[in-house]
Amino acid sequence: MIGLMSSEMDITGASLETLFRLNVGGSLIGPKNDTAGMGRTWYNDMPYIYSGSVGVVTSIKKGQHVKYDRIPHYIAPIQVYESARAMGPDGLEVNSKYNLTWKFSVDPNFTYVIRMHFCDFLMTRPNQRIFDIYINNQTAQGDDNALDPVGTAGAGVPFYKDYGIFVRGKADILIELHPSMFSQPEFLDAILNGLEIFKMAASRSLAGRNPELSSMLAADIDKIEKKKQKEFQSHNMIVIAGAAVAAILIVLVNRQNRRRNQRPPCPHGSSWLPLRGSSMSSNSDSNHLSSLAQGLCRHFTLSEMKRATQSFHESNVIGIGGFGKVYKGAIDEGLTKVAIKRSNPQSEQGVNEFKTEIEMLSKLRHKHLVSLIGFCEEEGEMCLVYDYMALGTLREHLYDSRKGPMGMLSWKQRLEICIGAARGLHYLHTGAQYTIIHRDVKTTNILLDDKWSAKVSDFGLSKTGANMENGAVSTVVKGSFGYLDPEYFRRQQLTEKSDVYSFGVVLFEVLCAKPALDPSLPKEQVSLADWALQCKREGRLVELVDPHIKEDIKEECLNKFADTAEKCLNDSGLERPGMGDVLWNLEFALQLQQEEDQEGGRICERDDSK
């Protein structure tokens, strides 16, 4: 990748195609809310985060105002400049050791224009926050040219900078922000409000390979189209706009039909799956799915499912859940390992859960959510096909005796797994257009791939917050005993804080290596959540810590971890932290654990005689 161009580049008269338009740190902005009638859509940036840390989201405070002193209003809507993603308050200890990074897949052998939007509404004077910008490992702003947003434009004043780069070879664009050590600012931090990437061709030819649209993008296009169709029925003024969107969708469908005919193997382990159009088999018993969901994941025949699992042979069973048995299998001529969940006709979970799982997961892609590859609905059978998680469930590695000593997780591994799961849940709560509540967070629904990376799974009970009133949705209580939010149980009002409660139980389960419910114990110890809270309040929590890790945990880390779990289990949902705060506290706990152990660091010695 070569040829990083000046931020003063002239793009007048060039052919441009918009590839990405992101409201960094903010929620989706639809065409109706775009500024000056521009009709653009600005997406959330979470699916493109490539950092070890996602940083923190900040928003403009009450009484503050964005001042369009340097650019016209139409450049970007005010909502883009009223929120941002920054590195956070950790300063030298953390921020100097990582880059805030986004990664984008693009076509090779083209020039790309990268427009970055800035508005620093937190700092008040120059030299407080200065940072370097790298594009594909080349310095766009750095050293004596590092970017100082307030010094460049003033506090609360939006501006943008354009950069150009020619991409050759591996077709990715990597954008990284890092605090400027050269400039020695008051705070080691970086900030970004918005990001646009345009494909440019001086010859006016933008021909390239068919785009592999993310399912999240396709879902939002579908929602926007449906909304415009409704408006069309009552407002004739949008006829032209509706026709334009329809034309775009026809082009996309035609492209997908061409790709479907080629039928390439599905890439195993990819964090983004290609958009595949597929019709239901002619001998399907029923069609429970929307055409959108069918188009976003792959449709398998029953014969393909039998071939992948040796006719659902019992030797391939790797798990049993509420929906049915889970089989290990291989598709695409044995090249891709998968996990196939087959419905059990006697199960309480049936068509609704099958539909929910597909409708939900087909629209979501995140490195810490299990990837749905496709489905089968034929001859009364319902199957779901996922990426294969080689290391199984988190629960297996906490206290499943079949795993033996080699299956035990170190304390650092447990922390990293909790952080990964928290990132996946945080994305569900904030990264999509509507809040998505998992509703069944537990250690058996946190899976581990071959690199010990955690992925949240099983969305059969999930609810979307599209129809939330006052931040809650009324629903029949569902979930798993031991993890169930007591406030949700009492009021039948589901919020994202119900997931937070369940995750608090998971945290104590990880710390203590004890099941959420154990009827064999004395009455006061049956519920792990209740027992752990009581022991913590009495200063006896260390007695519950898993002996396999007890001598390895630093006291400061234990306290931060336990405090976080305790806050998650607050009886009042309003008093519980959001998943973003939970994530930040777990990352801080990991930082405390990793600090040099100069003072011993153990909370107690292991007593092997017990």
Side-chain angles (χ1 to χ4, degrees):
M1 302 179 198
I2 61 172
L4 186 62
M5 302 174 190
S6 165
S7 60
E8 305 298 325
M9 64 179 298
D10 181 12
I11 59 175
T12 305
S15 298
L16 295 176
E17 176 188 357
T18 304
L19 298 185
F20 304 94
R21 181 172 280 128
L22 307 180
N23 180 18
V24 178
S27 58
L28 180 140
I29 302 172
K32 284 191 65 176
N33 295 320
D34 196 17
T35 186
M38 297 291 287
R40 298 165 298 193
T41 302
W42 300 73
Y43 296 90
N44 177 264
D45 66 311
M46 270 297 293
Y48 306 98
I49 292 285
Y50 196 64
S51 308
S53 171
V54 298
V56 298
V57 171
T58 61
S59 301
I60 198 166
K61 300 294 187 288
K62 187 175 181 180
Q64 291 181 309
H65 302 283
V66 171
K67 297 166 282 189
Y68 282 90
D69 293 349
R70 292 172 58 95
I71 59 174
H73 285 70
Y74 63 77
I75 293 296
I78 193 169
Q79 298 97 310
V80 170
Y81 298 117
E82 288 180 336
S83 63
R85 190 176 300 279
M87 301 185 77
D90 295 308
L92 184 62
E93 291 298 324
V94 173
N95 294 354
S96 62
K97 299 175 183 177
Y98 87 96
N99 295 341
L100 196 54
T101 307
W102 295 262
K103 185 178 182 180
F104 306 89
S105 295
V106 296
D107 293 326
N109 303 318
F110 281 93
T111 296
Y112 293 87
V113 178
I114 299 163
R115 175 166 292 182
M116 305 177 73
H117 297 264
F118 303 96
C119 179
D120 199 332
F121 43 74
L122 295 178
M123 301 304 171
T124 58
R125 59 182 185 275
N127 253 6
Q128 288 187 290
R129 172 161 35 200
I130 306 177
F131 51 91
D132 302 328
I133 300 174
Y134 305 99
I135 301 175
N136 283 355
N137 299 316
Q138 300 178 65
T139 302
Q141 306 258 183
D143 294 337
D144 57 352
N145 188 37
L147 188 64
D148 181 347
V150 174
T152 299
V157 178
F159 66 100
Y160 69 89
K161 282 186 168 289
D162 288 339
Y163 307 91
I165 188 167
F166 183 78
V167 175
R168 174 179 295 156
K170 186 179 180 183
D172 290 324
I173 291 179
L174 207 63
I175 297 171
E176 301 173 277
L177 307 183
H178 185 76
S180 174
M181 311 305 290
F182 177 88
S183 304
Q184 296 184 334
E186 185 174 345
F187 303 102
L188 292 181
D189 201 358
I191 188 172
L192 183 63
N193 303 74
L195 180 64
E196 296 175 274
I197 298 180
F198 308 96
K199 184 179 179 182
M200 184 174 76
S203 65
R204 298 190 177 275
S205 173
L206 291 163
R209 63 184 182 185
N210 289 336
E212 293 187 1
L213 299 180
S214 72
S215 56
M216 187 176 178
L217 174 59
D220 284 326
I221 290 174
D222 183 76
K223 289 173 185 174
I224 293 165
E225 166 64 4
K226 287 180 180 177
K227 193 172 183 181
K228 286 189 175 181
Q229 288 176 351
K230 290 181 181 178
E231 292 173 351
F232 176 78
Q233 296 170 2
S234 57
H235 301 285
N236 291 332
M237 294 298 293
I238 66 165
V239 171
I240 296 176
V245 174
I248 292 171
L249 291 178
I250 289 171
V251 171
L252 290 176
V253 170
N254 288 338
R255 288 179 175 177
Q256 293 309 315
N257 285 338
R258 290 196 299 270
R259 295 183 61 207
R260 182 180 61 207
N261 292 335
Q262 296 173 359
R263 187 92 173 187
C266 181
H268 175 58
S270 172
S271 59
W272 292 89
L273 295 177
L275 179 67
R276 296 183 184 273
S278 59
S279 60
M280 297 296 290
S281 175
S282 59
N283 60 346
S284 292
D285 291 338
S286 59
N287 184 354
H288 302 294
L289 304 174
S290 69
S291 58
L292 173 65
Q294 292 181 44
L296 292 179
C297 59
R298 187 169 164 184
H299 176 225
F300 293 92
T301 64
L302 183 57
S303 62
E304 286 179 301
M305 295 291 89
K306 290 180 177 179
R307 188 162 56 248
T309 60
Q310 297 175 308
S311 295
F312 300 108
H313 197 278
E314 286 296 306
S315 64
N316 289 321
V317 174
I318 54 176
I320 301 176
F323 185 78
K325 292 181 179 180
V326 184
Y327 297 82
K328 180 180 178 181
I331 60 175
D332 299 327
E333 299 180 353
L335 298 176
T336 305
K337 290 183 180 180
V338 293
I340 298 174
K341 190 188 295 185
R342 183 191 188 192
S343 66
N344 178 1
Q346 279 73 49
S347 170
E348 294 181 4
Q349 297 185 30
V351 171
N352 289 337
E353 285 74 13
F354 177 74
K355 176 182 175 182
T356 300
E357 185 93 355
I358 298 173
E359 296 279 359
M360 197 73 70
L361 266 183
S362 64
K363 301 173 186 176
L364 300 173
R365 289 294 183 272
H366 189 273
K367 65 189 292 187
H368 292 294
L369 300 182
V370 69
S371 292
L372 177 70
I373 295 175
F375 68 94
C376 170
E377 186 185 27
E378 190 175 311
E379 297 180 14
E381 293 275 5
M382 293 184 293
C383 298
L384 296 166
V385 184
Y386 306 88
D387 274 346
Y388 177 63
M389 297 291 107
L391 297 177
T393 70
L394 171 58
R395 179 190 177 102
E396 292 175 74
H397 295 276
L398 290 176
Y399 43 84
D400 189 334
S401 59
R402 292 174 298 175
K403 291 291 181 180
M406 295 302 293
M408 294 300 179
L409 296 167
S410 70
W411 173 238
K412 185 171 179 289
Q413 281 179 308
R414 298 186 198 199
L415 272 175
E416 290 171 340
I417 289 168
C418 289
I419 289 170
R423 285 178 182 159
L425 292 170
H426 180 51
Y427 171 73
L428 291 178
H429 292 176
T430 64
Q433 183 175 8
Y434 299 115
T435 297
I436 296 171
I437 304 168
H438 187 280
R439 207 159 55 144
D440 199 18
V441 177
K442 55 186 179 181
T443 49
T444 51
N445 285 340
I446 298 173
L447 305 183
L448 306 173
D449 67 13
D450 56 357
K451 297 180 181 177
W452 297 98
S453 179
K455 297 180 187 289
V456 179
S457 71
D458 201 340
F459 291 77
L461 300 182
S462 296
K463 281 283 185 180
T464 177
N467 299 317
M468 274 192 175
E469 295 181 4
N470 301 320
V473 58
S474 297
T475 178
V476 176
V477 174
K478 289 189 177 182
S480 299
F481 288 112
Y483 301 89
L484 198 60
D485 172 14
E487 185 178 60
Y488 168 41
F489 186 80
R490 290 193 305 268
R491 300 175 58 198
Q492 297 188 18
Q493 293 287 307
L494 181 67
T495 74
E496 69 272 18
K497 296 298 183 69
S498 299
D499 281 350
V500 172
Y501 181 92
S502 302
F503 191 67
V505 179
V506 168
L507 294 181
F508 274 127
E509 203 171 345
V510 166
L511 180 67
C512 306
K514 299 180 185 296
L517 285 179
D518 190 346
S520 66
L521 295 174
K523 182 179 180 181
E524 69 276 10
Q525 299 180 28
V526 169
S527 167
L528 175 62
D530 293 342
W531 182 236
L533 287 176
Q534 180 180 331
C535 290
K536 186 178 185 304
R537 290 163 187 157
E538 295 173 356
R540 300 188 295 112
L541 182 61
V542 67
E543 298 174 14
L544 294 183
V545 175
D546 181 8
H548 292 93
I549 60 170
K550 185 176 289 187
E551 66 175 7
D552 299 322
I553 305 178
K554 294 191 64 176
E555 185 174 2
E556 298 89 343
C557 176
L558 173 66
N559 291 338
K560 173 55 86 174
F561 186 90
D563 286 346
T564 303
E566 181 181 31
K567 290 174 182 176
C568 290
L569 296 179
N570 197 300
D571 195 56
S572 169
L574 290 174
E575 300 300 320
R576 296 172 201 153
M579 193 54 67
D581 292 326
V582 174
L583 173 59
W584 189 93
N585 280 284
L586 291 176
E587 289 177 330
F588 185 60
L590 179 60
Q591 177 190 336
L592 291 172
Q593 181 67 28
Q594 290 175 332
E595 289 178 351
E596 290 188 15
D597 188 8
Q598 296 178 344
E599 298 178 3
R602 300 178 186 178
I603 59 171
C604 62
E605 296 291 338
R606 182 187 300 177
D607 186 353
D608 293 324
S609 64
K610 292 183 180 181

